[in-house]
Structures are given as structure tokens and as C-alpha cells.
Amino acid sequence: MELVVGKVLAIFLLMAAGFGVGRLKLLPEGSNTTLNVLLIKVITPCMILSSITSKELTDDTLSMTLQTFAGSVVFFVVAGVLGYFFAKHLLRVIPSSNLGVYTFAFASINTGFMGFPVTLALFGQDIFYLMVMQNVILTVYLYSAGPLMLRLGCERGEVLQTETSGTSDTANAVKTEGTSGGSSALKSFFKSFWNPNAVASVISLIMLFAGLHLPKLIFEPVQTLGDATIPLSMLLVGLQLSESNISDLIKNGKILAFSLVKMLLLPVLTFFAVNWLPLAVSVKVCLIFAAVFPVAVVVAPVTAMENKNSLAAAELIAITTLLSVGTIPLFATLLTQFYLL
């Protein structure tokens, strides 16, 4: 319990620092965009490379690794669908352009910063390793499917404008959109997938399965840069929150309802989905416990990079993280009692 509270407190202290910087206007206008680019295109790929390539894949864990990969893929697909219908038909999120933000956030989970140390402390090395593998699929989801999901609810013209900003060649291509919709959608998917973070994930997985590691001379600076991911992400969340009214945020019924459903109902549904499947006990614990964590902090910068409502994403991160102070210890206790005693 003390570890969980400490991690959540650390998150809010970093967010508070960013909030203070924003309210005091210590950074020049446009700094958010510059920091987002640095985070997405430089810092986070280094974190992915250092965290995955430092692991060892043995024969004993290969089966559980593949089970975790498969279970994680299914989780993100199903959670994304559930999040979409919940936001659209029950919450009736407005404006409609925010629908993609809510959908993206619903399936995202903060298993990197909070998940790794908490899992290691509560469940030991074996389940911790599986959480790292789950985080590999999470990374692919965040930086490939995520940008596509953020377009949900947007008008067709708005989507095209986002895709075509900056280059006349692409703008010309849009003029033929009506006759090549399928091809355009496919190109859009691959464009979203082949960003620095997704590429780093693919390279890291290849190295993991091949038993390759970065030379020490390269690994150490890459790891140092990667370690900046969490503090920089949280500072950016705080900066974005500084533009909102916190009291209004707490009173926002839709954000609170979204957060309660995500933090309480999603782990329960995950339990019923995996409990009776022929999976290793450690894999079941990993998949269920992963669903307990709040919205991933990188949802905000990814949303900002896609020119969507990053403030709404920051608000969802803040409320779900606050609720996690109670939900993480609760579900950790239940999982220990049900599976590990």
C-alpha cells in the first residue's frame, strides 16, 4: 500500500511542477509543442529500446510470453470497442471530436511508470517480466492504433485536413480521396504505425527474440535518455492541466463516470474474460492487473501530436490516477487471495 501511494504521489508531484510552470508562464509560448516532439520522437524511443533489449528470453518463459502477447492484443481490441460504445452511447461525449480521445484513453494503461515497480513489489519477478511483455503490445497500441482512434468522431474534412497539413504533395493526393478510399485508409494506417516509437518497438522485439543487446557504450546513453520519459510526460500533463479549472474538472460528471467505469468495471470484465481460459496463472494475473492501472501518461502527448484535445486527455489521466490510489491495492489484494495463496 505504501509503495502504491508513493508512486501515485510521485506522479502528482511531477504534474504539480508542470502545473506551476504553466500557471506562472515560465516557458515561452509554443513550448508544449516543442517538448511533445522531443518526447515522442527522441526520448520515448530510447526508453523502449533500453527497457526491452535489456531483458533475456528463456525457453521456460516463451510460452507465457506468447500467451501474454495474444491476451494483450485481445484486451486492447475489446477495450477499445467497449470504450467507444461507452463514450458514444452512454456518456454521449460532446463535442464529437472528443470521442476518439475517450476511446483511446479507455484502453490505455499506465503499466510503464506505475505498473513495473508495483508489480515487482507485489507479485515478484515472474509476473513482472510478463508485465514488461504486456507493455510491448501497449507501446504498439499507443503509437499505431492510437492515432487512428483519435480520429473517431471527427468530421471527414477535419480528418483529411490533419492528415494533409504541411505538404502540397499530400494535399494533391487528398483530391483523389473519393476514388481511392481503401488505398488511402491503408496508407494512413502505415503512416501512423511507422513512427519512431512503433519502429523502436519492432526493432526491440527482434533483438529480444534474437538474444541481441545494445553495446554498453550505446546502451548507457540510450537508457539515460529513456529515463526522462516519465518526468517529461508528467510535466507536460501538468502544463496542459494548468489551462483548465481544477474545480470544474472534479465536478465534470462525464469524466468522473468514465474514470470510475475504467478503474472498476474494466478489471472485473477482464477477470471474467480470462479466468476460465487455458492460460498460465501468472499470465492471468498479469492481464487482469494490467487493466487496473490508470490512463497512460503518454496519451496526452500523443493526442497533442495529432492535434486533438490533449487537455481532455490530461484530465482523464489526472482523475484515473487519483482513483488508482484505492483501486490498485484493492485488486492486488483480490488477485493475491484468488490466484496466489
Side-chain angles (χ1 to χ4, degrees):
M1 179 66 178
E2 183 179 350
L3 176 65
V4 175
V5 173
K7 284 296 174 184
V8 173
L9 179 60
I11 286 177
F12 274 93
L13 288 176
L14 289 169
M15 289 172 58
F19 184 87
V21 169
R23 281 294 171 93
L24 295 174
K25 301 189 183 301
L26 298 180
L27 294 178
E29 187 175 351
S31 295
N32 279 14
T33 302
T34 302
L35 291 174
N36 271 313
V37 172
L38 177 65
L39 178 68
I40 296 295
K41 296 188 175 181
V42 179
I43 304 296
T44 306
C46 289
M47 182 271 291
I48 294 168
L49 282 168
S50 63
S51 62
I52 297 177
T53 60
S54 62
K55 307 300 178 184
E56 296 286 349
L57 186 65
T58 65
D59 293 338
D60 293 337
T61 60
L62 180 58
S63 175
M64 288 192 296
T65 299
L66 295 177
Q67 289 179 15
T68 303
F69 280 168
S72 299
V73 170
V74 173
F75 170 84
F76 289 120
V77 171
V78 174
V81 172
L82 289 175
Y84 174 78
F85 280 99
F86 175 59
K88 181 177 177 65
H89 298 292
L90 295 181
L91 288 184
R92 300 173 185 254
V93 170
I94 53 174
S96 61
S97 57
N98 282 347
L99 179 60
V101 178
Y102 277 71
T103 303
F104 181 33
F106 191 83
S108 73
I109 41 183
N110 189 357
T111 54
F113 180 59
M114 295 179 67
F116 288 173
V118 172
T119 302
L120 181 60
L122 296 178
F123 296 115
Q125 287 283 351
D126 291 341
I127 296 177
F128 166 71
Y129 166 79
L130 295 177
M131 190 65 76
V132 174
M133 294 299 98
Q134 188 276 344
N135 193 257
V136 172
I137 305 301
L138 169 66
T139 301
V140 175
Y141 159 75
L142 288 173
Y143 297 107
S144 58
L148 296 176
M149 296 171 75
L150 286 169
R151 300 169 190 172
L152 293 171
C154 295
E155 296 295 332
R156 182 179 180 85
E158 181 183 348
V159 173
L160 293 180
Q161 183 178 4
T162 300
E163 290 177 351
T164 58
S165 59
T167 62
S168 59
D169 290 342
T170 315
N172 291 333
V174 172
K175 294 178 181 179
T176 60
E177 169 76 16
T179 58
S180 57
S183 174
S184 223
L186 188 61
K187 288 179 181 178
S188 177
F189 170 78
F190 284 111
K191 180 181 178 181
S192 296
F193 184 83
W194 292 112
N195 59 73
N197 298 282
V199 171
S201 297
V202 172
I203 293 174
S204 299
L205 276 176
I206 293 172
M207 293 180 66
L208 177 69
F209 280 93
L212 302 175
H213 300 279
L214 293 173
K216 185 177 181 181
L217 183 64
I218 298 176
F219 177 80
E220 290 184 352
V222 167
Q223 184 181 41
T224 301
L225 283 172
D227 289 342
T229 301
I230 297 303
L232 182 55
S233 296
M234 298 315 301
L235 285 171
L236 282 168
V237 170
L239 283 169
Q240 291 155 352
L241 280 175
S242 69
E243 302 172 3
S244 67
N245 188 310
I246 299 298
S247 61
D248 290 343
L249 171 61
I250 296 174
K251 297 175 185 177
N252 190 314
K254 290 187 177 181
I255 289 180
L256 186 59
F258 168 92
S259 301
L260 287 171
V261 169
K262 174 176 172 55
M263 300 305 294
L264 292 172
L265 184 58
L266 186 58
V268 172
L269 292 176
T270 305
F271 166 79
F272 283 111
V274 306
N275 182 58
W276 291 278
L277 295 177
L279 302 174
V281 170
S282 294
V283 174
K284 293 180 181 180
V285 173
C286 171
L287 294 174
I288 298 168
F289 196 53
V292 175
F293 290 97
V295 176
V297 294
V298 297
V299 166
V302 170
T303 303
M305 287 292 292
E306 293 296 316
N307 297 315
K308 304 304 178 186
N309 190 350
S310 58
L311 178 59
E315 292 170 344
L316 295 173
I317 292 167
I319 296 300
T320 54
T321 301
L322 179 62
L323 292 175
S324 71
V325 176
T327 59
I328 290 176
L330 170 64
F331 283 102
T333 301
L334 292 175
L335 288 172
T336 301
Q337 294 290 327
F338 193 86
Y339 287 112
L340 303 177
L341 292 182

